[in-house]
Amino acid sequence: MPPEPLICTVDLVLLTLQAGQLQVLLLKRDREPFAGALALPGGYVHTGEDQSCEDAALRVLQDKAGLQGLYLEQLATFSGPGRDPRGWSVSVAYLAVVDAGTLDAQGAPVRAAHWRPVDRLPALPFDHGRIIATAVERVRGKSLYSSLPAHLCPAPFTLPELQAVYEAVLGETVNHVSFRRKMGELDCLDAVPGGKRADGAHRPAQLYRLKQEFRQRLRLVGRGLKA
Amino acid sequence: MPPEPLICTVDLVLLTLQAGQLQVLLLKRDREPFAGALALPGGYVHTGEDQSCEDAALRVLQDKAGLQGLYLEQLATFSGPGRDPRGWSVSVAYLAVVDAGTLDAQGAPVRAAHWRPVDRLPALPFDHGRIIATAVERVRGKSLYSSLPAHLCPAPFTLPELQAVYEAVLGETVNHVSFRRKMGELDCLDAVPGGKRADGAHRPAQLYRLKQEFRQRLRLVGRGLKA
DNA sequence: CGAATAGTGTCTGTGAGACATTATCTT
DNA sequence: AAGATAATGTCTCACAGACACTATTCG
């Protein structure tokens, strides 16, 4: 029995932190269906070019947002007869995370694009609302026990800055002593030699960067940030 | 631009516990490619019939193993030009878990099928070895902080029996006091009224069942079984 | 010197694991 | 009664959070 034809795409949930809120990149669709509407960046898998769906997601990230070298992970696959008016479809969704500094440096195509706070989204085509909700849940969950939020923080950063990012993502305050202890155990940060940030009438803070080996993957912690 | 044709299938990693080991169901393929070889059960998505890939996985589970009502979750999606000799393919993989009792009761078609211990697998076609490795990693990971292993234990079961299942999956012993405390906190078990198992010259153990509401989903625990 | 934030030392409460004890069955 | 395993009580150690204190800058 030959396979029945269906539509296979990748969709990308690109998240960043702006104004203390998680924001998602939405692009104006330039073709049907839903031409002109805001939706997640995505596209067909190019079987002649891509070596995997992850490759397709990286290509979408590069072509539609001009970004590369980001943290990227497979989120989940969404499917069904009704989610795309063209017919039965499968979308492999990916989660990517970018910090404001990287966005300024290499994200020219989307710097002025449509970033929307994930907690106040308009109605979206396809099942993109559900895909984003899944992505946000994943990010909040992983923030409890991994270095993921560091990818949302422009490097170099101070520990208080990084803590503020964790707090923005988690939506609650974090004990600063525990936070420092945890970051020490995680052992995923390099202190910038001699690097300090003095931004006021107070003791300046040490600057850090993610260690090279964790730029594109996460460091997990044993027991988590909070009980 | 119309979509480029590709192959879309679902694959099912069905795990059970036999002889104290995680075992995976392999079936002899009845068609090309790899006809006659052992591989994961799977099949094309039937766009006329399935409402989602999960539906397709449930259908495969029913048609090829005669099983229903199991714990099932999406595992990940595997893709690329080389994993299937028919061409560029996408496989949405699902993880299902069954206990020996359910298998005896309704798993007639596969009771005598090919169950293989996940730690000593033969070479498998496609990328099924990698898919199984991902599934096992998921199960072991979730066993640290969820009720998943209870789906591997024929009901009704005693706490010592359930603990033995956790230990078999995790590959290490668990403190029995902590284990009981954790199961109490999880609050996912119902004591069978008056149910005891006396299997020797000693105090009989209380029998339990998974609470109805957790038969097809998991209960997660805060800090995990071990530090 | 005071204000402000960075960073550290130390206490305490909670929870996991170890050990000991009690409970309840068979032979 | 002896032996075996189930189930529970209690001690201890480790870790997360709270609080207090020191450090370093600017004005």
Side-chain angles (χ1 to χ4, degrees), chain A residues 12-170:
Chain A
L12 189 73
V13 182
L14 176 61
L15 297 177
T16 194
L17 200 62
Q18 279 176 18
Q21 290 193 307
L22 271 184
Q23 313 241 357
V24 60
L25 176 67
L26 299 177
L27 296 180
K28 196 162 266 187
R29 288 183 58 81
D30 58 4
R31 65 187 64 163
E32 292 298 337
F34 305 111
L38 286 184
L40 291 177
Y44 292 122
V45 172
H46 293 183
T47 57
E49 177 182 357
D50 304 321
Q51 292 302 301
S52 63
C53 286
E54 179 165 326
D55 264 16
L58 289 169
R59 181 174 48 74
V60 166
L61 195 53
Q62 173 69 267
D63 292 352
K64 301 211 173 175
L67 294 165
Q68 55 188 2
L70 302 188
Y71 174 75
L72 181 80
E73 69 174 46
Q74 193 183 108
L75 185 61
T77 296
F78 299 81
S79 58
R83 54 179 301 282
D84 187 317
R86 288 166 291 187
W88 220 103
S89 64
V90 171
S91 167
V92 186
Y94 285 81
L95 164 67
V97 153
V98 67
D99 65 89
T102 303
L103 209 51
D104 279 348
Q106 49 163 306
V110 290
R111 215 171 307 153
H114 304 85
W115 293 90
R116 291 295 146 83
V118 297
D119 290 325
R120 275 168 303 147
L121 288 177
L124 294 174
F126 309 103
D127 50 1
H128 286 186
R130 196 173 136 230
I131 296 177
I132 295 171
T134 305
V136 170
E137 195 180 338
R138 174 83 60 96
V139 167
R140 296 214 162 115
K142 285 206 169 179
S143 295
L144 286 172
Y145 61 92
S146 83
S147 59
L148 191 148
H151 296 274
L152 286 163
C153 197
F157 46 78
T158 67
L159 284 179
E161 284 166 356
L162 184 57
Q163 178 173 348
V165 170
Y166 271 84
E167 291 175 341
V169 173
L170 293 173

Side-chain angles (χ1 to χ4, degrees), chain B residues 129-169:
Chain B
R130 196 174 137 229
I131 296 177
I132 295 171
T134 305
V136 170
E137 194 179 338
R138 175 82 59 95
V139 166
R140 297 213 162 114
K142 285 206 169 177
S143 295
L144 285 172
Y145 62 90
S146 83
S147 58
L148 191 147
H151 296 275
L152 287 163
C153 198
F157 46 77
T158 67
L159 284 178
E161 284 166 356
L162 184 58
Q163 179 174 348
V165 170
Y166 271 84
E167 291 175 341
V169 173

Side-chain angles (χ1 to χ4, degrees), chain B residues 167-211:
Chain B
E167 291 175 341
V169 173
L170 293 173
E172 58 189 351
T173 59
V174 169
N175 178 283
H176 81 287
V177 179
S178 298
F179 182 76
R180 281 159 182 279
R181 248 195 315 244
K182 219 30 131 176
M183 287 301 134
E185 289 168 24
L186 267 181
D187 192 32
C188 64
L189 300 182
D190 279 328
V192 178
K196 308 267 178 180
R197 170 157 306 157
D199 62 347
H202 53 81
R203 176 174 177 176
Q206 176 65 51
L207 291 171
Y208 296 87
R209 291 179 178 281
L210 259 184
K211 289 191 179 185

Side-chain angles (χ1 to χ4, degrees), chain A residues 4 53 74 77 79 88 223, chain B residues 47 50 53 74 77 79 223:
Chain A
E4 308 166 34
C53 286
Q74 193 183 108
T77 296
S79 58
W88 220 103
R223 286 171 84 184
Chain B
T47 57
D50 303 321
C53 287
Q74 194 184 108
T77 296
S79 59
R223 286 171 84 184

